[in-house]
Amino acid sequence: MQSIPTTFIHIDLGQRSYPIALGSGVIAMLGTSLSLPVGTAAVIVSNATVAPLYVSRLVSSISATYSQIQTVVLPDGEAHKNWETLNLIFDALLRQGCDRKTVLYALGGGVIGDMTGFAAACYMRGVPFVQVPTTLLAQVDSSVGGKTAINHPMGKNMIGAFYQPQLVVCDLDTLDTLPARELAAGLAEVIKYGPIADMELFAWLEANMDALVARERGALAHVVKRSCEIKAAVVGADEREAGLRAILNFGHTFGHAIEAGMGYGVWLHGEGVAAGMVMAAHLSQRLGLVDGSFVERLTRLIERAGLPTRGPVLDAQDNAGRYLELMRVDKKAEGGEIRFVLIDGPGKAVMRAAPDALVREVIDQCCAS
C-alpha cells in the first residue's frame, strides 16, 4: 500500500486557528511530530467498532504527553447521536474528576466527532479537543470547521454549538478498515465540493472514481486534501454560517429530511446527501439555473460511487408533504420558508427559496415509486 507523507492544511480563524495533519500513519506520529494540546489528562471517546482497531495505537502515541489517559466507548451509529449517549461522556468525565486541563480526543466517524466536540464545548464551559476522524466522510467534512451537535427526533443536528478543535488528524491508514458502504457515504461529501466550488475536482472525480472505490491511496489522499482545502477556505471566511458556509450543505436539506424521516441510521448521512444532491440539482434545473446535461452528469457520478440517486418514500399518502414538513425544521429555514442550496451554474452555489409546488414536483420525480 502506497505511503503518503504528512502534509498540513491550515484553518485560519485567528486565535482559534488550527492545523489539519493528513498522511499515512499520522496517529502514530502524534507524540513526536505534532504539537498536542497541553493538559494533565486525556479522554479518548470512541465507539464499539473503532475502539478495538485504533485506541491502543492512539494511547501509545499520546502517552508521553498526558499522565492519565482514559477511554469512553459509545455505541456505534447515528441512532445513538442523542442526549442519552452524550451523557455517557459527561458521566465518565465527572466520575473521573476531569477538570479544565483535560483534553478530549474524538476517535471515530462523524457521530463521534460531533458528540465529542459538543461535550468539549459544554463540559466546564469548554475544554480542548482533538479530532481523529477514521471515516472518509469525517476526514473530508465533519471533522473540520467546528460544527458539533446531537440529533433530535424532529431534526438532525438541531442541538449543538460551534466549537473548534485544536488539531485534526486525518490518518489515511484508517480508511483500510472502512466498510464499502461507509466509503461510498464519504464520497458523497467529496462529490458535493465540485458543483459548489470546483468543477476541476468534479472532472477529476469523473476520471478517477474507480480508483477511489478501489481505495487507491494516492487518489484518496488527493480528495481528502482538496476537500479540506475547500472547506478551510469557506470556514475561514464564514465560521458560523452567516452566509457563504451554507453552500457546504448542498443536498443536505433533502438529505437530512431522509435521515429523520426514515429513522436515524437507516440511511447513512452520505446516502441521504447523495439522493439530496440529485433533488437539489433537479430543482436548480427547474429554476433555470443549470441544464439537464449537468443534472445527468452529476447523477452518473453519484451512481458510480455506489450511492443512491432516488430518495425513499417517507409517507405513502403524501410523500412530498412529509419531506416539506421535515425540511421546515432545517437550520437554514427562515420564518418557515425553506432555503435550498442550489447550483447557479456548475461550480457556483446559491441559497434560494422555491415554491412548494415546484419542490413537490421534484420530490415526486426523484423518489422511488
Side-chain angles (χ1 to χ4, degrees), residues 229-303:
E229 287 171 344
I230 295 170
K231 186 155 189 182
V234 172
V235 171
D238 180 19
E239 180 182 2
R240 293 181 174 264
E241 203 168 81
L244 175 65
R245 185 169 177 172
I247 70 170
L248 297 172
N249 291 306
F250 175 53
H252 287 56
T253 300
F254 291 105
H256 286 173
I258 291 171
E259 288 185 83
M262 291 296 288
Y264 296 118
V266 177
W267 276 51
L268 297 180
H269 174 67
E271 293 168 341
V273 168
M277 286 191 291
V278 175
M279 294 184 192
H282 276 281
L283 185 56
S284 301
Q285 181 186 4
R286 285 173 179 263
L287 290 168
L289 303 176
V290 295
D291 59 23
S293 63
F294 172 78
V295 178
E296 292 173 8
R297 189 178 170 191
L298 174 61
T299 304
R300 283 196 302 269
L301 184 60
I302 291 170
E303 286 177 335

Side-chain angles (χ1 to χ4, degrees), residues 131-308:
Q131 288 273 19
V132 189
T134 60
T135 67
L136 180 61
L137 189 148
Q139 291 187 3
V140 302
D141 183 67
S142 63
S143 68
V144 178
K147 279 188 175 181
T148 75
I150 57 172
N151 298 331
H152 186 280
M154 294 176 61
K156 183 177 170 69
N157 293 334
M158 293 302 291
I159 303 166
F162 287 99
Y163 193 70
Q164 300 295 341
Q166 295 199 3
L167 171 68
V168 178
V169 179
C170 295
D171 191 332
L172 296 171
D173 292 353
T174 63
L175 302 182
D176 294 342
T177 55
L178 198 61
R181 186 183 175 194
E182 293 279 359
L183 181 77
L187 290 173
E189 293 284 10
V190 174
I191 290 169
K192 82 170 183 192
Y193 287 112
I196 66 170
D198 187 353
M199 286 303 291
E200 287 186 12
L201 172 63
F202 192 86
W204 188 94
L205 291 172
E206 290 177 313
N208 293 276
M209 183 54 71
D210 292 345
L212 289 169
V213 173
R215 305 181 198 231
E216 291 186 12
R217 187 62 58 81
L220 288 170
H222 177 77
V223 296
V224 174
K225 182 174 185 291
R226 184 64 191 128
S227 297
C228 287
E229 287 171 344
I230 295 170
K231 186 155 189 182
V234 172
V235 171
D238 180 19
E239 180 182 2
R240 293 181 174 264
E241 203 168 81
L244 175 65
R245 185 169 177 172
I247 70 170
L248 297 172
N249 291 306
F250 175 53
H252 287 56
T253 300
F254 291 105
H256 286 173
I258 291 171
E259 288 185 83
M262 291 296 288
Y264 296 118
V266 177
W267 276 51
L268 297 180
H269 174 67
E271 293 168 341
V273 168
M277 286 191 291
V278 175
M279 294 184 192
H282 276 281
L283 185 56
S284 301
Q285 181 186 4
R286 285 173 179 263
L287 290 168
L289 303 176
V290 295
D291 59 23
S293 63
F294 172 78
V295 178
E296 292 173 8
R297 189 178 170 191
L298 174 61
T299 304
R300 283 196 302 269
L301 184 60
I302 291 170
E303 286 177 335
R304 287 180 59 203
L307 289 160

Side-chain angles (χ1 to χ4, degrees), residues 52-102:
L53 297 171
Y54 300 113
V55 160
S56 61
R57 190 180 306 183
L58 180 56
V59 169
S60 296
S61 187
I62 66 175
S63 59
T65 305
Y66 305 103
S67 59
Q68 297 179 19
I69 301 175
Q70 305 290 333
T71 301
V72 180
V73 179
L74 305 179
D76 188 11
E78 190 82 29
H80 302 287
K81 190 178 174 184
N82 53 32
W83 279 117
E84 182 179 7
T85 307
L86 181 69
N87 266 324
L88 295 177
I89 304 176
F90 294 134
D91 290 346
L93 294 174
L94 290 164
R95 191 180 304 117
Q96 294 161 19
C98 294
D99 57 24
R100 284 179 173 156
K101 294 188 180 297
T102 301

